[in-house]
Amino acid sequence: MTARLTPPVSDRDHAQGPAGAPVTLVEYGDFECPHCGRAYPMVKAIQRSMGKELRFVFRNFPLTSSHEHAEHAAEMAEAAGDRGKFWEMHDLLFEHQDALEDEHLLAYAATLGIDPPWAAAALEQGVFRERVREDVASGGRSGVNGTPTFYINGVRYDGLLHPTSLLEALARAAAPE
Amino acid sequence: MSPLLSAGTPAPDFTLPKSPDAKLRLADTRGHPVILAFYPADWSPVCGDELGVFNEVLPEFQRHRAELLGISVDSVWCHKAYASARKFDFMLLADFEPKGAVSRAYGAYRAQDGFSERALYVLDAAGVIRWSYLSPVGVNPGADGILAALEALK
C-alpha cells in the first residue's frame, strides 16, 4: 500500500522554495509534537543544503488527543498565514514548543506585528479551525500515520527520521536514474 | 500468523464489553458501515499514534456514516482509563474473556505474543467484510486504506 499525498500541493498550501523545484517535501506536523520539534532543525538544514532544488510545504495535523495546545498553535499559524507571516510563526512555534499557551501564541503574534486583539478573536471564534480540519482530512486520505509524516514528490516517506536517510531519499528524488 | 478474513465474507458476529457495565453486539450496528481496528495494546506508543490519528480523522469516517470500533485484549477498565486520558471519541472493545476470542475469529490474534494483530476491517451496512488489511505490528497503517474502502462502498 503506497500512501500518496491527496490532494497534491496547490496554491492553497504554505510553501517555501521554487514551485518548479525538482523535489517537493511535504510535512504533516503538529507544533506541540516532540518528534516534529526534532524534525524542525533537520528540515532547516536540508533546505540550506538543497537550496533551490527543494520546495518545502507544511500542512497541519494536530494530534489534539495527546497535545492540548496543538489545535490553537495550528490555528495561530494559519492566522499568521492570513497576514503573510505563516513561516515566521511556524518557526517561532517550533522554537518554543514548551510555551504554547494562548498567551504565548498572542505574544508571538505581537512579535510578528499581528494585531493581538485580532489574533485573540481569531482563536476564540475558531476562524481558522476549518482550514486546519481540511489539512487533517487531507492527511487522513494521504495516509498520515503519526507526526511528522513526510511526502517526497507526493509519496509517503517511510524511512527513518534521520537527516542522512531523509537527505538521501530527497537526493534520489532529485536525480532519478 | 493466521490470515485475515477476506472481502465478501460476512463478518463473524460477536458481543464484547464496551464499558464496565455495557456490551456491544456487532449485529446491532447494521445499517451503517463499521470499521474494526484491532490493535496490540492500550498505551503502547505506535497504537497511541494510530488511534490518535484515527481520532483526528473521525469526521471523515462519519461523513461516510461509518462507526469506528477499537479492539484489543485489554480490560474494560484499562480501555476506560486510556480513552479518557487520550480523549478518544470512539469505543474501545475489550476482547478480554475468553482472551482474544474475537481477534482469533478475525484471524487477527498473535498467539505467540498474547495480543491482537494490527489489523483493519471495513464492514458494509449489511455486516459484510468489504476490505481488510494487516499491518506489520510496529507500523501504524494510517487511515488512507480505510477511507478508500469507505469511498468504494458507494
Side-chain angles (χ1 to χ4, degrees):
Chain A
M1 204 161 66
T2 308
R4 290 181 183 278
L5 189 69
T6 313
V9 174
S10 72
D11 290 349
R12 170 193 181 286
D13 285 300
H14 303 291
Q16 283 182 319
V23 186
T24 296
L25 176 67
V26 176
E27 174 181 358
Y28 278 92
D30 168 332
F31 291 110
E32 196 175 354
C33 157
H35 302 285
C36 299
R38 282 203 291 281
Y40 167 70
M42 253 184 249
V43 170
K44 285 274 182 220
I46 285 169
Q47 285 182 294
R48 277 195 299 276
S49 131
M50 293 186 67
K52 290 186 171 15
E53 296 289 292
L54 181 74
R55 173 171 64 158
F56 176 59
V57 168
F58 185 91
R59 290 180 180 173
N60 295 290
F61 202 94
L63 287 168
T64 59
S65 52
S66 348
H67 302 142
E68 60 175 322
H69 307 104
E71 174 67 25
H72 270 189
E75 291 179 24
M76 183 55 80
E78 291 302 330
D82 187 70
R83 301 292 143 123
K85 303 272 185 190
F86 176 82
W87 291 105
E88 290 84 347
M89 184 62 80
H90 164 277
D91 291 3
L92 278 172
L93 295 171
F94 275 134
E95 286 161 18
H96 299 89
Q97 283 196 299
D98 55 346
L100 298 176
E101 301 287 343
D102 282 359
E103 59 186 287
H104 300 124
L105 302 180
L106 296 174
Y108 305 146
T111 308
L112 297 177
I114 298 166
D115 183 36
W118 177 82
L123 280 190
E124 194 165 322
Q125 294 161 18
V127 174
F128 295 94
R129 186 156 201 282
E130 189 53 36
R131 157 89 201 204
V132 172
R133 289 300 108 193
E134 284 168 16
D135 277 2
V136 170
S138 79
R141 289 197 296 280
S142 302
V144 163
N145 59 358
T147 54
T149 297
F150 287 101
Y151 295 78
I152 298 174
N153 287 350
V155 178
R156 191 174 71 196
Y157 169 75
D158 288 335
L160 293 176
L161 186 56
H162 182 277
T164 316
S165 314
L166 189 53
L167 197 54
E168 278 172 5
L170 290 163
R172 274 197 300 278
E177 61 278 11
Chain B
M1 197 156 70
S2 48
L4 296 189
L5 304 176
S6 49
T9 312
D13 196 23
F14 59 76
T15 301
L16 284 178
K18 61 177 181 180
S19 73
D21 49 15
K23 295 186 173 194
L24 175 132
R25 184 177 172 201
L26 182 67
D28 293 340
T29 64
R30 299 270 166 81
H32 59 259
V34 171
I35 303 153
L36 301 179
F38 291 91
Y39 64 98
D42 290 349
W43 307 108
S44 86
V46 177
C47 311
D49 273 345
E50 176 183 359
L51 298 184
V53 166
F54 290 176
N55 196 56
E56 297 304 323
V57 181
L58 272 185
E60 294 307 296
F61 296 157
Q62 286 159 355
R63 240 167 22 85
H64 297 278
R65 297 177 54 246
E67 178 176 14
L68 171 64
L69 301 172
I71 304 176
S72 78
V73 297
D74 296 284
S75 76
V76 282
W77 297 103
C78 187
H79 276 344
K80 193 172 191 288
Y82 181 53
S84 146
R86 295 290 162 83
K87 304 189 192 73
F88 289 154
D89 290 322
F90 55 90
M91 265 184 251
L92 300 178
L93 304 178
D95 194 9
F96 181 73
E97 181 58 39
K99 190 184 172 199
V102 173
S103 303
R104 285 175 205 270
Y106 280 78
Y109 192 68
R110 295 171 71 86
Q112 71 277 28
D113 294 317
F115 51 70
S116 306
E117 293 278 6
R118 197 174 294 286
L120 299 172
Y121 281 94
V122 169
L123 319 182
D124 64 17
V128 174
I129 294 168
R130 300 297 289 270
W131 179 80
S132 58
Y133 179 74
L134 179 67
S135 188
V137 80
V139 178
N140 175 357
D144 52 325
I146 296 171
L147 289 168
L150 290 172
E151 300 273 341
L153 290 183
K154 282 188 230 153

